[in-house]
Amino acid sequence: MMSDHRKRRAPKQYERLTHPLVRGTDGVLRRASWDEALDRAAAGFRQARRDHGPDAFAMLSCSRATNEMNYVAQKFTRVVMGTNNVDSCNRTCHAPSVAGLSAAFGSGGGTSSYEEVEHTNLIVMWGSNARFAHPIFFQHVLKGVHNGARMHVVDPRRTSTAQWAESWLGLNVGTDIPLAHAIGREIIHAGLVNQTFVDRATTGFEEYAALVEPWTLSAAEQVTGVPAEAIRDLAHAYATAERAQLCWTLGITEHHNGTDNVRALINLSMLTGHVGRYGSGVQPLRGQNNVQGGGDMGAIPNKLPGFQDILDDASRHKFERTWNAVIQPRYGKTLTEMFESMESGELRAVYCVGENPAQSEADSEQAVRRLRSLGHLVVQDIFLTRTAELADVVLPATAAWAETDGTTTNSERRVQRVRAALVPPGEAREDIDIICALARRLGHDWTFTDAETVWDELRSLSPDHFGMTYDRLEEHQGLQWPCPDTDRLPSSFLHGRLWETDPVRRGPAAPFGLVAHDPPVDLTDEAYPLRLTTGRRLDSYNTGVQSSGYASPLRRGEYIELCPEDAVAYGVTTGEEVRVSSRRGSVTAPVWIDPGLRPGLAFMTMHFPDEVDTNALTIEANCPIAGTAEFKASAVRIEKLVPAWT
Ligand SMILES: Nc1nc2c(c(=O)[nH]1)N[C@H]1C(S)=C(S)[C@@H](COP(=O)(O)OP(=O)(O)OC[C@H]3O[C@@H](n4cnc5c(=O)[nH]c(N)nc54)[C@H](O)[C@@H]3O)O[C@H]1N2
Ligand SMILES: Nc1nc2c(c(=O)[nH]1)N[C@H]1C(S)=C(S)[C@@H](COP(=O)(O)OP(=O)(O)OC[C@H]3O[C@@H](n4cnc5c(=O)[nH]c(N)nc54)[C@H](O)[C@@H]3O)O[C@H]1N2
Ligand SMILES: [Mo]
């Protein structure tokens, strides 16, 4: 039975791009020379800028590619096209983490190093399935557990990660703020606040205490579905641990109030002083291999490389002098805003490098319609993706992970070298090389002889990276930012300053986030009674472009997962095809029964959009601060399919 389903749903295999393509007058993509393709790509960008101004252009930059590539991509956007409209997949995942951490501590990076979870006493994995999504980090977690650390998991599903934990708090989707506030209240009422830290390094404690006061254990149990004792136990364990690590991922951020969720968790670290010391900290585990680096390199609409704000005159002028260009003193559009301004015609030309938004954006039908409405779409990828199929020009790139030199930066802010080890196929060219060829056609005499030349330009402009020469990265097998000096090693954790007694050295205090519960936008009701949450499995990667091309005995295609009770209630069994519908769209998928789910909760992945387009169901409602969509909470119904022969 199982093997039949696997056969029927064998995932689409993507073809590696080996030569450029352009859309012919007949509307079909055809093979072209590099010169023809680059001329066409550049002409469309030039025309958009001439007819509609620089802000009619936007760049989607690749979080799979190197830091150097991201540096050049944002420089192209700002210098050649004259706009700050550059963004990446960070918007779909951890933009709320960056916003929340910046608001609390003044910098958007995770505060600790991976190895610290090996030397801590308590690890909370909150909305994170690291066993599947961050297996390398999870090895460090398991070492920590082996060394005696207690692990607790907060997730609506009893995930693979939860199976290793001492306790699992199975909360209702979108109720993280009530849970966090109840933990905070319990810590306050039990007299477990780290008062020295709170007095010295934070502001707004009184307001916070008043805000969480209504969230008694029983009030929180009602809303979250987590038993009061389990909430109390976690509060006591976290507050009394000598060292504690609080890690979160998309279960927290992919909500219409993702930044508020992040603030609610950070509050707990401030209340207990579990930040700014070795072994204690807060960690958003980032998504794509270089999404941290992409943001650090300025491939985001509000920051220049090295996290220097566009609105800061001194920073902007420094870049203007080096780049010999004028940088607009205003923020560009986020990825979310870019999509919103496509249909109105405000955005005309998009250069999409290593992203597949036709399948990864929430409400995919709407996203495809918006991409189609563009006057000029250039896609640069290693595969002919669904997004590339919509493009006017398709440019074949080398794969950063094996065919390109450079550096990438992981979630613990560690910059590491990557090297070209394979010969790229056909006529594929390096991303940087292609961007420079376009810049030259648009009147800028750009050549970077190698990745190190790009890196050295970045170092000269970003104090946080200045101390990381290629030689030092080699010698130390990677270094973490901030690394301002070439002769000293950086600290492994951030914000140690908060513990300083001298107020000058301590710097700005961290404000408590005064955030309120706000349930998911897509409400369940009689017509759509199931809460659908979406996420990942170990065996596949994002939209499947890079992971569908090899056979895996682990992979079992797309299913809608239900708990045994719901399967009985709907009269469905594993393997049976059902129609799944939301207020936006509808798909058919086979059922999988997972005892790790709770009644009323369904789960799907985003890995097989060609077979089952999960994002036809999801809602585009997004966080007003960070722009991240509520991928984790849609309302759906399922219907049995009547077999054709009846
Ligand atoms: N194997 C594999 N690894 C990957 C990826 C991949 O596609 N495949 N993708 C990479 C990327 S881009 C990213 S961003 C990361 C993502 O890594 P994760 O965020 O860990 O992955 P997800 O499965 O999307 O979501 C994590 C968990 O959030 C839970 N969740 C859902 N709703 C809620 C809620 O309301 N509250 C709480 N507390 N939890 C909730 C889900 O049940 C799920 O277990 O993984 C990266 N690593
Ligand atoms: N339903 C649902 N949807 C989601 C999510 C969810 O949890 N649920 N999560 C969201 C998240 S966190 C993310 S990050 C997005 C992911 O969204 P995307 O980034 O759009 O999806 P990927 O499949 O990772 O696409 C990466 C692309 O980069 C290309 N690529 C890889 N290496 C290189 C390179 O070196 N150079 C170039 N030029 N191209 C390269 C690949 O071929 C692929 O086409 O999806 C989001 N969508
Ligand atoms: Mo992501």
Side-chain angles (χ1 to χ4, degrees):
M1 176 111 177
M2 259 302 301
S3 57
D4 284 355
H5 290 293
R6 275 195 208 155
K7 225 182 280 163
R8 203 164 70 234
R9 296 193 163 264
K12 175 182 160 76
Q13 304 223 340
Y14 283 86
E15 272 172 57
R16 188 70 198 264
L17 285 167
T18 53
H19 47 73
L21 302 169
V22 298
R23 193 164 298 283
T25 41
D26 56 357
V28 177
L29 282 174
R30 63 162 170 82
R31 183 171 184 160
S33 69
W34 267 108
D35 271 338
E36 183 188 6
L38 290 168
D39 285 346
R40 273 278 289 277
F45 294 154
R46 193 182 299 113
Q47 190 187 344
R49 188 181 52 190
R50 193 188 52 218
D51 297 349
H52 305 280
D55 292 333
F57 170 87
M59 162 80 87
L60 306 189
S61 187
C62 183
S63 300
R64 314 283 298 143
T66 60
N67 284 325
E68 290 75 2
M69 178 269 152
N70 276 280
Y71 176 83
V72 174
Q74 60 82 36
K75 184 172 170 182
F76 177 91
T77 309
R78 296 192 161 109
V79 175
V80 177
M81 298 307 297
T83 173
N84 289 310
N85 292 344
V86 54
D87 208 359
S88 77
C89 74
N90 80 83
R91 199 59 52 197
T92 62
C93 45
H94 272 296
S97 303
V98 175
L101 285 162
S102 304
F105 303 125
S107 133
T111 71
S112 311
S113 297
Y114 290 173
E115 65 156 43
E116 289 177 50
V117 292
E118 295 176 23
H119 306 123
T120 192
N121 308 101
L122 183 122
I123 304 162
V124 186
M125 304 298 299
W126 198 314
S128 161
N129 189 9
R131 165 76 183 83
F132 277 11
H134 298 89
I136 295 176
F137 176 73
F138 201 68
Q139 292 303 314
H140 295 277
V141 169
L142 289 182
K143 276 195 198 163
V145 171
H146 181 78
N147 291 341
R150 301 285 177 79
M151 199 219 317
H152 303 268
V153 169
V154 184
D155 196 302
R157 302 182 304 139
R158 186 159 188 269
T159 56
S160 180
T161 303
Q163 285 163 17
W164 296 82
E166 175 171 320
S167 82
W168 164 58
L169 278 62
L171 82 174
N172 297 328
V173 168
T175 62
D176 297 275
I177 290 178
L179 184 64
H181 282 2
I183 291 175
R185 181 187 184 278
E186 178 62 22
I187 291 172
I188 295 169
H189 280 256
L192 297 174
V193 172
N194 186 327
Q195 207 61 52
T196 319
F197 183 82
V198 166
D199 292 344
R200 194 188 283 162
T202 74
T203 56
F205 172 71
E206 297 302 328
E207 292 86 339
Y208 173 74
L211 176 81
V212 299
E213 188 53 29
W215 289 109
T216 60
L217 295 175
S218 63
E221 174 173 336
Q222 291 256 314
V223 174
T224 64
V226 181
E229 291 132 70
I231 306 176
R232 192 192 52 225
D233 289 352
L234 181 55
H236 285 248
Y238 183 70
T240 57
E242 194 188 327
R243 294 168 169 183
Q245 288 279 339
L246 180 46
C247 308
W248 70 82
T249 49
L250 306 187
I252 283 300
T253 59
E254 281 183 344
H255 289 279
H256 76 284
N257 56 345
T259 307
D260 286 358
N261 282 345
V262 168
R263 295 299 298 272
L265 300 202
I266 294 174
N267 286 340
L268 300 180
S269 74
M270 288 160 49
L271 208 52
T272 51
H274 283 319
V275 65
R277 286 183 305 171
Y278 186 85
S280 282
V282 287
Q283 285 253 57
L285 309 170
R286 302 298 301 259
Q288 303 205 6
N289 58 314
N290 198 33
V291 62
Q292 175 75 50
D296 299 345
M297 292 302 111
I300 41 176
N302 57 342
K303 300 285 175 187
L304 290 157
F307 224 66
Q308 298 170 83
D309 204 283
I310 300 263
L311 302 185
D312 179 60
D313 290 343
S315 300
R316 216 176 48 253
H317 293 153
K318 177 175 74 175
F319 280 88
E320 288 181 332
R321 278 194 302 276
T322 306
W323 289 346
N324 192 21
V326 177
I327 301 169
Q328 286 198 34
R330 62 169 184 270
Y331 294 154
K333 288 185 180 28
T334 62
L335 184 70
T336 317
E337 290 163 343
M338 289 174 192
F339 272 83
E340 284 163 1
S341 58
M342 284 180 191
E343 274 175 307
S344 68
E346 204 185 319
L347 199 63
R348 311 295 289 216
V350 167
Y351 186 5
C352 172
V353 185
E355 292 265 305
N356 187 20
Q359 298 189 312
S360 59
E361 284 288 295
D363 197 346
S364 52
E365 258 177 53
Q366 174 177 263
V368 168
R369 199 178 63 236
R370 288 171 166 181
L371 286 165
R372 280 190 201 283
S373 74
L374 285 169
H376 186 58
L377 175 63
V378 177
V379 170
Q380 181 167 314
D381 205 292
I382 57 179
F383 289 105
L384 184 64
T385 61
R386 288 288 190 219
T387 309
E389 284 172 6
L390 303 173
D392 300 285
V393 181
V394 180
L395 304 171
T398 62
W401 68 272
E403 298 162 357
T404 309
D405 274 325
T407 61
T408 59
T409 309
N410 69 9
S411 291
E412 58 167 4
R413 297 165 278 101
R414 186 178 303 279
V415 178
Q416 301 176 91
R417 286 277 281 116
V418 290
R419 290 175 188 79
L422 300 179
V423 179
E427 298 171 18
R429 283 166 69 170
E430 285 198 17
D431 283 307
I432 293 183
D433 194 27
I434 305 172
I435 301 172
C436 287
L438 284 173
R440 286 196 296 275
R441 278 170 170 73
L442 292 162
H444 293 257
D445 185 24
W446 283 13
T447 38
F448 286 105
T449 43
D450 54 18
E452 191 171 5
T453 319
V454 180
W455 185 248
D456 285 339
E457 180 175 313
L458 169 271
R459 281 181 47 238
S460 75
L461 289 160
S462 169
D464 280 352
H465 294 89
F466 182 73
M468 302 178 182
T469 60
Y470 267 25
D471 281 347
R472 287 192 87 210
L473 290 175
E474 189 97 34
E475 183 189 338
H476 298 285
Q477 304 204 344
L479 288 167
Q480 287 166 288
W481 64 255
C483 181
D485 309 305
T486 46
D487 53 358
R488 276 200 317 186
L489 283 178
S491 161
S492 69
F493 60 90
L494 297 180
H495 313 312
R497 64 171 178 84
L498 292 171
W499 290 91
E500 296 277 354
T501 43
D502 171 18
V504 176
R505 288 170 58 168
R506 194 163 66 236
F512 276 92
L514 303 176
V515 294
H517 176 43
D518 189 8
V521 173
D522 204 18
L523 295 174
T524 51
D525 60 12
E526 262 175 42
Y528 300 97
L530 283 172
R531 175 58 75 209
L532 172 72
T533 196
T534 63
R536 290 160 173 76
R537 287 208 306 257
L538 179 64
D539 53 76
S540 299
Y541 191 79
N542 286 0
T543 62
V545 175
Q546 289 182 272
S547 57
S548 297
Y550 69 97
S552 162
L554 285 176
R555 188 180 299 113
R556 57 178 164 88
E558 190 63 273
Y559 286 78
I560 173 149
E561 301 181 10
L562 299 171
C563 73
E565 296 89 328
D566 282 339
V568 170
Y570 285 98
V572 292
T573 53
T574 286
E576 183 172 346
E577 295 270 336
V578 294
R579 175 166 298 284
V580 187
S581 310
S582 77
R583 295 184 176 94
R584 283 133 323 261
S586 163
V587 300
T588 57
V591 168
W592 182 273
I593 297 172
D594 177 1
L597 291 171
R598 291 148 60 246
L601 181 65
F603 179 76
M604 292 173 76
T605 78
M606 55 180 295
H607 298 314
F608 308 94
D610 293 299
E611 290 73 36
V612 179
D613 183 9
T614 302
N615 277 331
L617 304 169
T618 50
I619 186 167
E620 189 226 8
N622 56 71
C623 170
I625 303 169
T628 302
E630 195 151 56
F631 289 110
K632 290 291 183 261
S634 305
V636 298
R637 67 161 169 265
I638 62 168
E639 289 147 296
K640 278 169 85 84
L641 289 183
V642 183
W645 60 85
T646 61

